[in-house]
Structures are given as structure tokens and as C-alpha cells.
Amino acid sequence: MADPGKMEEGLAAAKVVHEEEDKLVEEQRQEQEQQQQQQPLVKQKTKRIATLDAFRGLTIVLMILVDDAGGAYARIDHSPWNGCTLADFVMPFFLFIVGVAIALALKKIPKVKDAIRKICLRTLKLLFWGVLLQGGYSHAPNDLVYGVDMKQIRWCGILQRIALVYFIVALIETLTTKLRPTVLKPGYSSIFTAYRWQWLGGFVAFVIYMVTTYSLYVPDWSFDVKTDDETTRYTVKCGMRGHLGPACNAVGYVDREVWGINHLYAYPVWQRLKACTRSSPSAGPLREDAPSWCQAPFEPEGLLSSISAILSGTIGIHYGHVLIHFKGHSERLKQWVSMALGLLIVAIILHFTDAIPINKQLYSFSYVCFTAGAAGIVFSAFYILIDVWGMRTPFLFLEWIGMNAMLIYVLGAQGILPAFVNGWYYESTNNTLVFWIQKHVFNNVWHSVRLGTLLYVIFAEIVFYGVLSGILHKLGIYWKL
């Protein structure tokens, strides 16, 4: 027979255990309620990397500077053919920072279908604005007309190239999400193997470009030059492969065949070559003995060269991957700087051995390496100054412009705002506020058209757009595609 005393002790112990469990459950419930109360209704944003906006802003500033002051200072304008000037860094800098932004933006979209939908929509928006602004419909800022002959519309341009690179690089990034590890293995090369599909995409673009450039046969071709009185037809003799000069390269041949010669850029920079003008490197009248191709059209943002430009986006997205996976400043900088120096060394060797000259118009492989290496150095320097040392104040205007890069590109770089102001003229279309400020406040004061033009671009354009971007930032107004 069981001892009643022991039974009572057992019941008492069980009762204590149940009370302790109930007390623990109640404490856990209260703790969860407290955490839910403390958790904000809106998900907190991660800390924004200020370097991205500052670098994007720098690129916009460079574009405005070289576009509007390049005519006065030919040394900062695009190189007529081989070589690299300040203007030649703009396009690859754009593509580099687009790549960095892709890595950071797509990791916030967990569903592949949503990401693909966003990629396609943004690509279409970029194509639309590109054709509208650079296809010939807009004549801003000097001509107060609009419209384009569809027989001569230009299909390629800056935003169109960005659209292609963005679409390819972002699509590979999205479709390979489940094929890469979430945690990197130790070692310097682990980030390259983790994102091998991105590098494979860049390598395919490289192979397509190189094989086509050096193996495609370029036949003779013709073009027409129209004047008020007559139309003259010229023929350029080629019949060769692997030529990297202005007249007979495969890059131009592909564009003539795909788009048609009437849809290419009509004023190529090669017109400033010594073979074409005695004013070289500035623009000037054609020489009497200038070859016929000096008057021919050429597309600097064409199809084959844009395929090569995919490499610029691929290198940019690598920098974004480093930013995601490496949390320490020294680790990030080690990856960035070492790769940038390697690219610069490769470019310099290829260029000065005449193996593959640096050429923006062809978007040569050495040009990709040189400009991507320069972008990596500038990006790393900005990162040290702004995000490591905290020196944001001197670069705030670049950050503001970078936050509204698309708006400033349309208003400033494409001249839409000056065109709007020029629409309010007095007696003559040459008598507008824009022209009056440039002539009387800058050119006449400094007694120099060249210096006056440069100061006008710096203070009346770049500083103005910096202030405008700052005001829009304070108001929380941004235009994003």
C-alpha cells in the first residue's frame, strides 16, 4: 500500500513544476509582446553607402563638364580615336556604378519573378528615354524645335547602352541566385568562384566581341553627303579583317548592317583627327585631302561595342559583391584596389605594345580594363574619404546629384532645362537669359571665350544643379526609373 505522505509530497512537487512552467510561459509571452511593441511598423532601411551616390554624382558632373566645355578645351573632349581623355571615362563610369547598384538592389528582392519584372520594366524605361533624348526628337538646348525624320532616327545612345548592360548583368544576377553559396569560403578567390556565372557572362561577351572584331570581313561601303544643292555619294575601300582604324573596323560594319547607315551618329569624333582637319584635336574645317570617311557617320554606342561594355557592368557588380560579403573596410579595399591595379596594368601593357589600343569608339578590351581600373581607384578613394573617414561635407553636392542622377542627366546633360529657358527669348532666339549670362557675366568679364565657357559650366551649370539637387533632397523628391 502506498505511503500517503509520499503521495502528497509528489502531488505538491508536480504542482510546483506546473506553476513554474506556467510562469515561464507567461514571461515568454510578455517578452514577445514587448518585442512586438518595440519593433517599428515600417522596416528600417539599411545604412546607405554614401560613396555610391557621390560616385554617380561625379559621373554626371563629368558629363556636363566635358559636353559643355569640351568644345572650348579639346583636350578634355573625347579622344578622336586611340587614347583616353577625361570625357572617355564617363560612359564606363556609368556602367561601373550601375553594376555596383545591381548587386545591392537585387538582394532586396527575394522573389525571382518580381526581380525579372522589375529588370524588364526598367530596361524598357531606359530605352524609351534614350531614344527620346538622343534619337533626334529633342533638339535641345539651342534649337527651339522638336521632331525627327523616322528615316534618320538614331536608335543607339547612352541610355540605350546602359539599358542593354543593365538587362544582361541584372538578369544573370537574378537567375543565378540559387546557384551560389550564401557564405563565402576563406580565400581571396572565393568571391570569384561564388559568382562564376557572372564572370562567365562577361567572358562570353568578351569572346563575342573579340572574335567578331578580328575575324569579320568588312567589305567596301558607301554613304551619301547631302547639301542644299546636291547629294554626293562616297565609297570607302575596305575588303579586310581585323582592322582597328576608323574606316574599316568591324564595329562600324555591324552597326551599318544592323541599324542602317542613316540611323548612325552623324558627327563622329574622328572628324577631329589630323587626317581630317588641320585644327586637330579641336574641330575645324575638313582638309582638302581628307579621306572620304571623315564625313561618314559612325555609332559610338553601337551594338558590338555595347556587347564589350557588358564587361564594365560585370566588373562593377563584382565591386558590389565585395561590398555585400566583406564587412571590414580593409578587406573591401584589399579586393577593390588589387583588382583595379591589375586592370590598369593589363590595359597599359596592351596599349603601349600596340596589341589592343585603348579606344572608346571601339570599346576595346584595353579601354574596358583601363577605365574600369580607374573607376575602381576612384571608387576606393571615395570610400576611404566618405565612408571610412567620414568626410561627407565636401562631397555632399555630389551625393545630392547622385541621388537624382536621372533628373540631372535629363535637365543638364541633355539640355532640357536650358532649352526651356531659351524658349523665353526677346526679339531673337539668340537673345535669351542663358546666352546673356554666358556672354556678359562670364565671357566679357574674363575677356576670354574659352575661360568664360569653362567658368560658366562650373558655376552656372554644375553648381546650380548641385544646389537644385540639394533642395530636392531636402524635399524628398527623387526621380528613379
Side-chain angles (χ1 to χ4, degrees), residues 14-168:
K15 184 177 180 181
V16 170
V17 171
H18 285 301
E19 288 178 351
E20 291 293 333
E21 290 178 351
D22 292 340
K23 184 178 180 181
L24 181 61
V25 170
E26 180 65 20
E27 289 178 352
Q28 291 177 349
R29 185 184 66 80
Q30 292 178 357
E31 184 178 354
Q32 290 177 356
E33 289 180 355
Q34 185 177 4
Q35 290 178 352
Q36 291 176 356
Q37 291 176 357
Q38 293 176 351
Q39 186 176 3
L41 295 177
V42 181
K43 185 178 179 181
Q44 295 293 324
K45 294 183 179 180
T46 56
K47 182 182 178 182
R48 189 180 184 94
I49 304 297
T51 298
L52 270 71
D53 292 321
F55 188 94
R56 193 182 294 113
L58 173 68
T59 306
I60 294 290
V61 167
L62 286 179
M63 172 174 278
I64 295 174
L65 177 66
V66 299
D67 282 354
D68 295 345
Y73 293 87
R75 296 295 181 183
I76 68 172
D77 202 351
H78 289 291
S79 174
W81 198 244
N82 291 339
C84 191
T85 64
L86 188 62
D88 295 323
F89 288 104
V90 174
M91 185 77 252
F93 274 32
F94 265 130
L95 299 177
F96 174 87
I97 202 62
V98 165
V100 176
I102 288 173
L104 300 177
L106 292 183
K107 74 183 184 69
K108 301 176 183 178
I109 307 176
K111 295 183 179 180
V112 175
K113 289 184 178 179
D114 293 340
I116 293 177
R117 187 181 301 111
K118 182 177 180 180
I119 292 168
C120 293
L121 183 60
R122 193 178 190 195
T123 300
L124 292 175
K125 289 179 180 178
L126 286 167
L127 289 173
F128 168 77
W129 283 106
V131 174
L132 181 65
L133 293 171
Q134 289 195 298
Y137 184 85
S138 172
H139 297 255
N142 296 328
D143 296 333
L144 301 181
V145 294
Y146 62 89
V148 61
D149 183 355
M150 292 301 294
K151 291 183 178 180
Q152 296 180 335
I153 188 172
R154 182 186 175 200
W155 295 115
C156 300
I158 295 172
L159 293 182
Q160 296 93 309
R161 170 170 284 176
I162 292 176
L164 174 64
V165 173
Y166 170 79
F167 180 76
I168 298 297

Side-chain angles (χ1 to χ4, degrees), residues 21 65-66 76 117 202 229 274 278 388 414 417-418 434:
E21 290 178 351
L65 177 66
V66 299
I76 68 172
R117 187 181 301 111
D229 300 329
K274 290 182 179 180
R278 300 183 191 278
V388 178
Q414 292 302 310
L417 183 58
V434 172

Side-chain angles (χ1 to χ4, degrees), residues 48-59 92-104 315-324 329 332-333 335-337 340 371-388 395:
R48 189 180 184 94
I49 304 297
T51 298
L52 270 71
D53 292 321
F55 188 94
R56 193 182 294 113
L58 173 68
T59 306
F93 274 32
F94 265 130
L95 299 177
F96 174 87
I97 202 62
V98 165
V100 176
I102 288 173
L104 300 177
I315 295 170
I317 203 172
H318 171 75
Y319 276 65
H321 293 152
V322 171
L323 197 59
I324 293 171
H329 297 318
R332 290 172 173 175
L333 290 168
Q335 291 277 342
W336 290 340
V337 174
T371 53
I377 294 296
V378 174
F379 187 82
S380 300
F382 270 27
Y383 182 77
I384 294 172
L385 294 172
I386 300 172
D387 288 299
V388 178
F395 303 95

